[in-house]
Amino acid sequence: MLDEEFKLLDLIGREAPLLDDDITSYDSTLSEMVSASKFLVLGGAGTIGKAVTKEIFRRNPCKLHVVDISENNLVELVRDLRSDYGYIDGEFKTFALDIASIHYDCFFNEDGDFDYVLNLSALKHVRSEKDKYTLMRMIEVNILNTVKTLSQCRSKGVKKYFCVSTDKATNPVNMMGASKRIMEMFLMSESKNMSISTARFANVAFSDGSLLHGFEERLKRCQPIAAPDDIKRYFVTPKEAGELCLLSALLGENGDVFFPKLKRGLHETTFSNIAVSYLKAKGFEAHLCSTEQEARVLAKTMPKEGKWPCFFAASNTTGEKMFEEFYTSNEMVDLKRFNNLGVIKNGLPSDANELSSFLKQVADMIQNCKWNKEEIVRLFENILVDFEHIERGKYLDNKM
């Protein structure tokens, strides 16, 4: 394992990788399956998508095509793969495409010969519900694109479809988590027609756009660090996220939802604790400030003294859940098959008429170019009986 992985584990308070035992137990099977198969990875240049792509690439697939909306991230993905692993015997190509576009439809229609399609694209931020336009974009990415690509995969006879979910889909309190919960409902409905699996997992440490990634950016710019001190989260490394997705995609039975077991040191920790550990690893002592303004002022001089100004405060923004969970009391769980993974065996029940009605109402809003957040919240509540949206009228964009 690379030193970087051990550094990440240390920062999130863990001594050992989460999935080494399971990867070792099934590695020969995984390698055989990958080397005999053709893959399409959607959203393959984000943090999780990149990790999954690397897990597939290093096992020498027959074909590996990667689609991502970010041209720059795809370029870096290729450089990373070439630098670490070189080349594969099979065909490897990347495509800078928007999954929602006609260009992607043409690509898939002509190039849709795949055994496995892994969809890692997502709008993942709780803050995505801050305005009605971004919220509808989140619905498009997390739900509508899943429905669309599922249909395309079925028409092409794809062997297996995997789509990543989140622990925030369990008893959701924000629109992002609820959108992923609804996505799971569409997945389970489609599992009647083709083989499907998914995975819920914890926050991916230092993933693009995450608060922990923001720590790195703040140090680069000599800016103060801000973090909540009352919210606890589970964290996995990007490599562990990639391994979890690969295990679910290749070894998951139809309708399975994989998640990490809360063992082997996987425990909740606060963002503020990680901030203190991160600064210590960078050679700085965290200096607690009472206001954002104080932290901004001290950032101009304090780092020269080996200290870094930090503003830690309680969370008061919309959609923040005080704790995280991977499954509900109504879900049947298999904790025996894997050493460090659990599997939800009974998919979320779904009514085809309800799902169809949901899609129609969203389509009407888009066609008329008229909707508001309250209407969408009600739409979500109608289809998700366990959805308890937490609205505080304040969003993360209103904080440092």
Side-chain angles (χ1 to χ4, degrees):
M1 174 178 290
L2 298 176
D3 288 342
E4 185 66 26
E5 186 78 2
F6 282 119
K7 292 177 182 177
L8 284 178
L9 290 172
D10 186 55
L11 288 175
I12 59 179
R14 260 200 291 130
E15 297 180 355
L18 181 66
L19 300 176
D20 273 7
D21 292 346
D22 291 312
I23 288 292
T24 299
S25 297
Y26 290 95
D27 195 52
S28 60
T29 300
L30 293 172
S31 296
E32 289 175 9
M33 294 177 73
V34 170
S35 64
S37 302
K38 294 166 282 190
F39 293 84
L40 172 64
V41 182
L42 305 176
T47 300
I48 302 174
K50 179 180 175 181
V52 175
T53 299
K54 293 184 77 169
E55 291 298 321
I56 295 171
F57 188 93
R58 71 183 186 86
R59 291 178 170 88
N60 199 33
C62 292
K63 175 181 176 181
L64 175 57
H65 287 183
V66 181
V67 170
D68 197 280
I69 198 171
S70 172
E71 180 185 29
N72 289 339
N73 285 1
L74 282 173
V75 170
E76 179 55 32
L77 170 67
V78 173
R79 290 170 176 161
D80 189 24
L81 290 172
R82 296 302 187 211
S83 298
D84 266 351
Y85 305 115
Y87 301 84
I88 59 174
D89 297 329
E91 180 180 270
F92 172 64
K93 292 182 179 180
T94 65
F95 302 86
L97 298 171
D98 181 349
I99 299 171
S101 70
I102 187 65
H103 315 98
Y104 173 80
D105 294 344
C106 293
F107 154 78
F108 193 83
N109 185 54
E110 296 179 9
D111 191 44
D113 179 23
F114 300 102
D115 298 303
Y116 296 90
V117 172
L118 287 74
N119 184 1
L120 289 307
S121 64
L123 255 67
K124 64 179 184 178
H125 285 284
V126 173
R127 70 178 70 207
S128 294
E129 65 174 272
K130 68 184 186 300
D131 64 83
K132 65 180 184 178
Y133 312 106
T134 309
L135 176 56
M136 186 58 80
R137 169 66 175 158
M138 183 175 68
I139 292 172
E140 178 186 52
V141 173
N142 292 357
I143 301 174
L144 303 186
N145 284 356
T146 301
V147 173
K148 169 184 171 177
T149 53
L150 269 170
S151 177
Q152 291 172 326
C153 288
R154 184 179 68 249
S155 69
K156 286 288 188 177
V158 169
K159 180 178 178 181
K160 181 73 173 294
Y161 183 95
F162 169 87
C163 192
V164 69
S165 186
T166 171
D167 54 332
K168 294 173 180 64
T170 309
N171 293 320
V173 300
N174 56 60
M175 298 299 282
M176 189 280 289
S179 72
K180 282 294 190 177
R181 185 72 161 169
I182 294 171
M183 179 207 75
E184 289 183 3
M185 294 173 69
F186 279 100
L187 289 174
M188 297 311 158
S189 178
E190 189 60 36
S191 67
K192 302 168 188 174
N193 304 310
M194 66 181 297
S195 184
I196 288 169
S197 63
T198 183
R200 297 175 187 164
F201 52 81
N203 295 263
V204 181
F206 295 91
S207 60
D208 291 345
S210 68
L211 180 57
L212 303 194
H213 177 256
F215 296 166
E216 297 178 322
E217 297 302 310
R218 302 289 71 73
L219 259 68
K220 288 179 185 177
R221 294 167 174 77
C222 206
Q223 296 170 336
I225 283 181
D229 59 4
D230 59 338
I231 292 179
K232 292 186 175 183
R233 293 289 183 258
Y234 297 105
F235 290 92
V236 295
T237 68
K239 186 175 188 299
E240 290 170 339
E243 292 171 340
L244 176 53
C245 291
L246 187 70
L247 285 164
S248 177
L250 268 60
L251 303 182
E253 297 173 353
N254 189 24
D256 281 355
V257 182
F258 280 42
F259 64 90
K261 291 182 185 177
L262 301 184
K263 56 180 290 189
R264 197 161 185 175
L266 183 63
H267 59 273
E268 290 182 307
T269 186
T270 63
F271 289 99
S272 55
N273 283 341
I274 294 179
V276 172
S277 297
Y278 175 75
L279 288 171
K280 183 177 180 181
K282 294 294 183 178
F284 294 99
E285 177 187 347
H287 175 83
L288 303 188
C289 300
S290 57
T291 66
E292 288 187 358
Q293 181 59 19
E294 179 189 0
R296 281 189 287 267
V297 171
L298 291 178
K300 302 180 186 304
T301 58
M302 186 163 279
K304 298 176 183 178
E305 305 169 8
K307 298 180 181 181
W308 205 274
C310 299
F311 178 67
F312 300 148
S315 176
N316 60 355
T317 54
T318 293
E320 289 293 351
K321 194 173 182 179
M322 299 311 295
F323 62 94
E324 293 190 322
E325 51 196 335
F326 295 107
Y327 58 91
T328 70
S329 59
N330 296 323
E331 293 174 319
M332 183 174 67
V333 176
D334 178 1
L335 297 175
K336 296 181 179 180
R337 182 181 175 191
F338 297 95
N339 190 29
N340 290 297
L341 289 173
V343 183
I344 299 169
K345 298 302 296 183
N346 59 326
L348 189 68
S350 57
D351 182 285
N353 291 329
E354 283 188 348
L355 295 179
S356 178
S357 175
F358 175 87
L359 291 178
K360 183 180 185 306
Q361 291 179 73
V362 171
D364 288 343
M365 291 177 183
I366 294 174
Q367 183 176 359
N368 296 326
C369 201
K370 185 178 180 181
W371 65 86
N372 58 51
K373 180 175 177 178
E374 291 72 23
E375 290 174 324
I376 296 176
V377 171
R378 286 196 298 270
L379 183 60
F380 275 37
E381 289 174 340
N382 287 338
I383 198 170
L384 291 177
V385 296
D386 60 348
F387 182 37
E388 297 182 5
H389 183 248
I390 297 177
E391 176 61 63
R392 295 192 174 102
K394 186 173 183 179
Y395 301 91
L396 289 168
D397 283 0
N398 302 123
K399 302 178 72 173
M400 187 168 67

